[in-house]
Each structure stands twice: as structure tokens, then as C-alpha cells.
Amino acid sequence: MKMIRQVLPIAALVLCPASALATDPTAPVASLMALAETNWSASASGYEDYFSDDRLAALYSTEFAELYRKAAATEDAKEMGSPFNWDVIVNAQDGCPLENLTIEPGSSANGVTQVVARFQAMACFGTQAEFQAYRETRFTVVVEDDQSVVDDIVTDLDGDVLSVKAILRELAQTAN
């Protein structure tokens, strides 16, 4: 009987790998954090947009993607090339290659899962505690069309909670 219990989860993955992995709430976060690691690596050849059309369609909720597109249509965003003038995933304008990245699913209720990415983003600047400190980015993940997608990105800015979705909503209201 023990063998059957061990084989069934593996058989489920083999028989329907897309659906088994599609609802993994850490999957879209892992994708974004891998991109953040690439963007912040010492050998980065250029910046890849977290909000490209392909990523908006695959990694983000419909509402988040719509808000982003509206916010990106504002005059300021068009001029800057983005609604943001900082990296909203790492919550920084300057930094180092990311170190010691972990991604953990947190609480889950009413179809919403909080996923936490924890990392060091300033370690190359020195050994002082302020540079060795860990940062956290919290992702609100929902399931749409049997796919886990990011519905918000939340960071802490000097003790204040910073919701990317709230910022997008505010910016979208100013779009023509």
C-alpha cells in the first residue's frame, strides 16, 4: 500500500503534467525571480521587462495585466518607457546580484495564496548589516483558467506597504 501512495503523485504528474504544475502557486513567482536574478546578475547584457506582453499574458492575472496596460499608456510612462522608475520585484534602483533567494508559499485562503521571495540584494556593497539584510517581496497568487498567476506584488518601503497593483490602479486612473 505504501508503494501505491508514492506512485500515485508521480503518475498524476506523468499523466497530466501541465495541470499538475499549472496550479503551483510558486511557479509564476519562480519565473519572475529567475528573471530578477538575470536582470541583476553581474553578467547581465540588458534588462528584460517583467511586464512584456508575453509575461503579462502568462504570469499575471487579467486584472493586473489590464491595469498595467492602462498605466503604461500614461504620458509619463510612455516617456520613461515604463510606469515605474525602479525594479518593483526587487524594490530597488541600485543593487547587486541577488543572493540566497528562497521562494516559499505562505498562507492560502479563498483561492488566494501568498508567496514570499526572500533574498539579499545589496550584499556586494559591504559586510555591514544593512548590506547583508534580507528583503522580502510578497506575491499574491490566484488561479485563473487553471493557471496560477500573480495578482499583486507587495514590498515594504521603510515600514510602509507598497502594493504594485494599487500603484497601477492609481496610475491607470490618470490615463487618457
Side-chain angles (χ1 to χ4, degrees):
M1 195 67 151
K2 287 182 184 179
M3 185 175 249
I4 291 173
R5 287 185 191 145
Q6 292 172 347
V7 172
L8 285 177
I10 294 168
L13 286 173
V14 171
L15 295 174
C16 56
S19 63
L21 297 176
T23 56
D24 174 4
T26 63
V29 175
S31 228
L32 291 170
M33 292 311 299
L35 186 55
E37 284 182 303
T38 299
N39 283 344
W40 288 92
S41 75
S43 62
S45 59
Y47 177 83
E48 285 197 53
D49 191 0
Y50 299 117
F51 306 105
S52 66
D53 288 335
D54 289 346
R55 289 187 183 98
L56 282 172
L59 300 177
Y60 298 95
S61 70
T62 303
E63 181 183 14
F64 187 99
E66 286 174 9
L67 287 170
Y68 181 85
R69 287 184 184 103
K70 285 180 184 173
T74 63
E75 289 305 314
D76 286 343
K78 286 179 187 176
E79 189 175 307
M80 288 189 312
S82 170
F84 309 110
N85 63 357
W86 78 99
D87 184 315
V88 297
I89 302 292
V90 178
N91 195 23
Q93 287 181 322
D94 296 314
C96 302
L98 302 187
E99 294 183 19
N100 301 313
L101 170 65
T102 60
I103 298 170
E104 298 287 331
S107 63
S108 192
N110 301 321
V112 177
T113 302
Q114 299 300 317
V115 178
V116 178
R118 217 168 163 258
F119 51 89
Q120 291 172 292
M122 308 288 275
C124 72
F125 290 142
T127 57
Q128 297 89 337
E130 66 192 87
F131 299 130
Q132 296 300 313
Y134 279 81
R135 292 185 181 188
E136 284 188 359
T137 301
R138 295 181 305 277
F139 296 83
T140 302
V141 178
V142 298
V143 175
E144 286 183 356
D145 299 324
D146 296 324
Q147 194 77 6
S148 289
V149 291
V150 172
D151 191 50
D152 200 1
I153 302 163
V154 179
T155 57
D156 184 291
L157 182 64
D158 301 324
D160 292 326
V161 173
L162 184 67
S163 161
V164 171
K165 191 172 180 181
I167 293 167
L168 290 173
R169 186 173 285 117
E170 208 172 291
L171 292 171
Q173 291 174 352
T174 66
N176 293 334

